[in-house]
Amino acid sequence: MREQLYRLAALAGPVYAELLSGVIATVIGTYWVAGLGGSAVAAVTLAGTVENLLLGLVLVVASGVSVRLARALGAGDRDEAARTTRAAWRLCALGSLALAAPGFLLRDRLAAAFLDGEAATRAAEYFTVAFPVFVLFFAQRVADELFKGAGDTRTPMRIALLSNSLLLVLDPLLILGPGPLPALGVIGAALALATSRAVALAVTLRLRPRTDGVVRGVGAAAVRILRAGAPFGLDFTARMAVGTAQLALVAGFGVAAVAGYGIGYRLLLLLTMAFYALRQATAIRAAGLTGAGAAADLRILHRATARLAVGLGAGAALLAAACAGPLTARFTDDPAVSAQSVGFLHLTALYLLPYAPAVALGGFHQATGAGRALVLSAVFGLGAQLGAAVALSGALASGRGVVGAGRRRGGAVGVAVAADPAWSRCRRRFRSRCRAGRAVRWRRLGRPPGPGRPGGAC
């Protein structure tokens, strides 16, 4: 157990640092753009939202790559690892073209669909730069997952720190144009992001792990990648869609509610990113052990993940409840906005404890082949969340918008974790595999699987 806990922490720590550096760079970049006015902020915000939506499709390939590569390396199959690597780059090329070309051609319509006037013009200018270099984003995600599939999460962390450090330097230079440099505004923000990604990708490709082996059957390997990664991508896309719908509901309570929700949500990300870092680490370990056929180690990993996730969830809940006020005060001094943010974080603390193991163990089950049931679980839970959001928005229309958002999140996620039949089915399936494995071991020892021996809890 201790060994698995240590390995999970060693894998998850760098992933969390990687995710955290990206959030910090985004916040600081928004700060520089804010000096250009509200239309510029709206344009960059739209661009970020579109990229997050496309990320759901990118994750189908990227997450599938890490799972399939870890499974191949765990089984000692160098040929399959080579096929997976080759298929990953082909899917990256095809996916980049399929997403970037329509986006570039329809950039004006895309901007006009969400914004108008100067904001739409600036958003179209940003897309003019962003879509042609979308391949940099896609390729970096694939390259990072090749490292992670090989058990190396430190190199992607270092690359992320390099990229985001460059972005912090380039943003003020290209956006504001100090000294002799031209002030490029929103276009400068897009160029800064593209340049930092180009440098990071060049370094990544220089360091990328080499896999030698027979590369025939790349098409079949690509299909296996898509099957393995589809649950991750669908889960992310569903959460993004429900989050967007919930933001629209909160907007009905006024500007203070939206601002408070925005601050509270960004602070919440600092906590929940730890859950997703553990999810990635668990998926990598579980895929490798599945490939190696190590059923006993898988059971230990399952228990270790659950324990670590519960600890993270409890710690996050305590932080959200105890530090909501001081943290919010660092972002705003408006009493109305502060009250909404603090209320959101206090009530969100109720769902962090069950949410942490739901997220972390989801990575385990997806890596071991139970991803389809977990997608159904996510859809069920998110549907309950959105339904509760609509109901409580009407019931709390007296002005407690974000407080209601925190309340409906807590209730809906509790339903998803405790009552969802798909989640329970995954749990029963894993337990039945544990019991079967124990029965086999007892028979090999020449002892009958008496009551309580192989059928105990996993």
Side-chain angles (χ1 to χ4, degrees):
M1 175 71 75
R2 288 184 178 179
E3 180 185 0
Q4 293 293 352
L5 286 172
Y6 173 78
R7 291 189 176 184
L8 283 175
L11 287 171
V15 174
Y16 180 73
E18 174 190 349
L19 297 174
L20 184 61
S21 71
V23 172
I24 292 174
T26 300
V27 171
I28 295 177
T30 303
Y31 169 79
W32 293 115
V33 172
L36 303 177
S39 61
V41 174
V44 174
T45 300
L46 175 61
T49 302
V50 170
E51 185 173 273
N52 280 333
L53 291 174
L54 295 179
L55 177 59
L57 301 176
V58 173
L59 284 177
V60 173
V61 177
S63 300
V65 167
S66 62
V67 169
R68 291 302 308 173
L69 183 61
R71 190 172 295 182
L73 294 176
D77 190 345
R78 307 297 298 183
D79 291 342
E80 178 62 18
R83 284 190 289 268
T84 299
T85 302
R86 182 71 63 86
W89 290 117
R90 289 187 182 180
L91 287 172
C92 174
L94 292 173
S96 298
L97 182 62
L99 295 175
F104 178 77
L105 295 175
L106 300 174
R107 62 190 183 279
D108 293 322
R109 294 184 181 180
L110 179 62
F114 295 92
L115 302 171
D116 53 16
E118 184 182 359
T121 301
R122 292 195 174 190
E125 292 174 349
Y126 191 100
F127 289 142
T128 302
V129 176
F131 276 116
V133 297
F134 182 76
V135 64
L136 298 175
F137 176 67
F138 205 139
Q140 186 65 59
R141 299 291 304 200
V142 169
D144 287 345
E145 296 304 320
L146 288 173
F147 280 106
K148 292 175 183 178
D152 178 8
T153 57
R154 292 183 178 273
T155 298
M157 175 195 70
R158 296 188 183 103
I159 297 299
L161 292 175
L162 169 63
S163 176
N164 292 320
S165 298
L166 286 173
L167 185 60
L168 294 179
V169 174
L170 293 173
D171 264 341
L173 295 178
L174 297 180
I175 294 173
L176 304 179
L181 297 176
L184 300 177
V186 169
I187 294 178
L191 288 174
L193 183 61
T195 303
S196 64
R197 286 177 173 175
V199 173
L201 182 60
V203 175
T204 303
L205 295 178
R206 181 82 174 176
L207 300 175
R208 75 184 189 278
R210 301 296 196 274
T211 52
D212 298 322
V214 179
V215 293
R216 280 178 283 180
V218 173
V223 173
R224 290 191 289 270
I225 287 174
L226 295 176
R227 287 178 177 174
F232 292 89
L234 292 174
D235 178 87
F236 179 86
T237 302
R239 293 183 189 280
M240 282 293 301
V242 171
T244 302
Q246 182 165 297
L247 177 59
L249 290 171
V250 172
F253 292 94
V255 175
V258 174
Y261 179 86
I263 293 173
Y265 186 76
R266 280 165 176 77
L267 292 173
L268 185 66
L269 280 179
L270 300 179
L271 301 175
T272 57
M273 279 191 302
F275 308 161
Y276 284 93
L278 179 58
R279 179 193 185 105
Q280 286 193 38
T282 301
I284 293 168
R285 284 290 299 156
L289 293 174
T290 300
D297 289 336
L298 275 172
R299 290 192 296 274
I300 296 173
L301 176 65
H302 188 274
R303 292 196 297 270
T305 301
R307 289 187 182 183
L308 193 54
V310 169
L312 286 174
L318 289 174
L319 285 173
C323 302
L327 290 176
T328 298
R330 295 183 174 273
F331 289 85
T332 181
D333 55 2
D334 187 324
V337 174
S338 179
Q340 295 291 335
S341 176
V342 171
F344 172 81
L345 289 172
H346 280 168
L347 290 170
T348 299
L350 299 176
Y351 96 100
L352 288 175
L353 182 57
Y355 187 57
V359 170
L361 291 175
F364 178 92
H365 290 294
Q366 287 176 340
T368 54
R372 183 178 299 177
L374 285 175
V375 170
L376 295 176
S377 175
V379 171
F380 178 86
L382 292 170
Q385 175 180 329
L386 189 57
V390 174
L392 290 176
S393 292
L396 300 175
S398 59
R400 299 166 61 190
V402 174
V403 173
R407 186 171 295 166
R408 56 182 177 260
R409 267 179 175 256
V413 176
V415 170
V417 175
D420 179 52
W423 177 263
S424 299
R425 185 165 62 251
C426 287
R427 185 171 53 195
R428 288 195 300 269
R429 182 183 301 176
F430 179 66
R431 285 181 174 176
S432 67
R433 290 178 181 176
C434 291
R435 295 187 183 111
R438 289 181 180 180
V440 169
R441 287 201 307 278
W442 281 110
R443 291 190 183 99
R444 287 177 179 174
L445 292 173
R447 300 170 64 182
R453 284 178 181 166
C458 293

